[in-house]
Amino acid sequence: MSMMGVFLALLVADMYPKLMKYVGHTKVARFRHSVVALFVIVIIASSVFPSVLSSKKEAQKGLSDGMDAALAWVHENTQDDALIVVPLEDAYLVEALAQRKTIADKNFLTRRDVSTRLHDIDIIYTSESVTDAVAALSTYKATHVMITSTARKKYGDSLLPLTSSSQCLQEIHREREDSGERQDMNDI
């Protein structure tokens, strides 16, 4: 959708001077200001309003109370230099709202070995091998693993088999179940 918007903007930018030149040669030239006003109204109606409506729809999705509370907890209860393991989809939330670093986010230009990082996140969340998970955690010097609703949906039943072994991860925070969404924080 956005590519189509860019394409149309380039066409309109090219067309506008030609349109004004053409209007100047016609009997409609005396209505030039009205044509410009109509042109601006069409642009606003076709680009600004859909953008505002889309923004409102995204804002309504927003954060659940559970996720908001978990991110606040991370911000208040972890070291400033903590490195949090979260699924790629939640990385920006942790970085922006909890102000903590993550192994990978969607800004791939600032990260090296993106596919390796994503694979390591999968290993951390799903590996039954203590050695593999600890190796991946150690590679990035990760301090915490955050189990979000996104992680639960993405990894399902294979999520963190190592949590059953108390020597690997220690649960340090759990959101109340009655909030409808559970966010767990595990210390490494």
Side-chain angles (χ1 to χ4, degrees):
M1 185 72 171
S2 63
M3 286 302 290
M4 188 168 117
V6 170
F7 181 68
L8 288 175
L10 292 173
L11 285 177
V12 168
D14 185 49
M15 178 205 67
Y16 182 74
K18 294 175 184 175
L19 176 67
M20 288 299 108
K21 185 177 179 181
Y22 173 74
V23 168
H25 294 297
T26 65
K27 292 181 180 180
V28 186
R30 59 186 171 172
F31 301 112
R32 177 180 246 156
H33 297 293
S34 299
V35 170
V36 170
L38 179 65
F39 188 67
V40 169
I41 289 170
V42 168
I43 289 174
I44 289 172
S46 65
S47 62
V48 173
F49 289 136
S51 296
V52 169
L53 293 176
S54 176
S55 298
K56 283 185 178 182
K57 186 174 22 171
E58 288 298 317
Q60 288 172 347
K61 288 180 184 176
L63 286 178
S64 67
D65 291 338
M67 184 64 158
D68 191 33
L71 291 170
W73 188 93
V74 169
H75 180 71
E76 294 167 8
N77 295 289
T78 60
Q79 298 288 332
D80 289 343
D81 62 346
L83 185 83
I84 313 295
V85 179
V86 290
L88 181 66
E89 298 82 358
D90 293 332
Y92 278 148
L93 294 174
V94 172
E95 291 178 358
L97 300 178
Q99 298 175 348
R100 298 298 180 262
K101 293 180 182 178
T102 61
I103 291 178
D105 59 28
K106 291 184 179 179
N107 187 5
F108 294 130
L109 295 176
T110 63
R111 307 287 185 169
R112 292 184 183 172
D113 305 326
V114 175
S115 60
T116 303
R117 287 175 179 267
L118 296 177
H119 179 70
D120 288 345
I121 290 171
D122 290 343
I123 287 173
I124 291 166
Y125 276 112
T126 61
S127 179
E128 292 186 23
S129 166
V130 174
T131 307
D132 292 345
V134 170
L137 291 165
S138 298
T139 298
Y140 305 102
K141 298 182 179 141
T143 58
H144 297 80
V145 178
M146 189 170 182
I147 304 171
T148 64
S149 59
T150 304
R152 292 181 201 291
K153 289 175 191 167
K154 184 174 183 178
Y155 299 108
D157 293 335
S158 63
L159 178 64
L160 274 178
L162 297 177
T163 55
S164 61
S165 172
S166 61
Q167 63 189 3
C168 296
L169 295 174
Q170 175 188 3
E171 185 174 301
I172 57 172
H173 176 71
R174 178 183 296 245
E175 268 310 298
R176 291 191 324 256
E177 302 270 349
D178 61 350
S179 69
E181 183 175 333
R182 195 171 97 206
Q183 312 294 333
D184 300 341
M185 194 68 176
N186 295 294
D187 194 12
I188 299 168

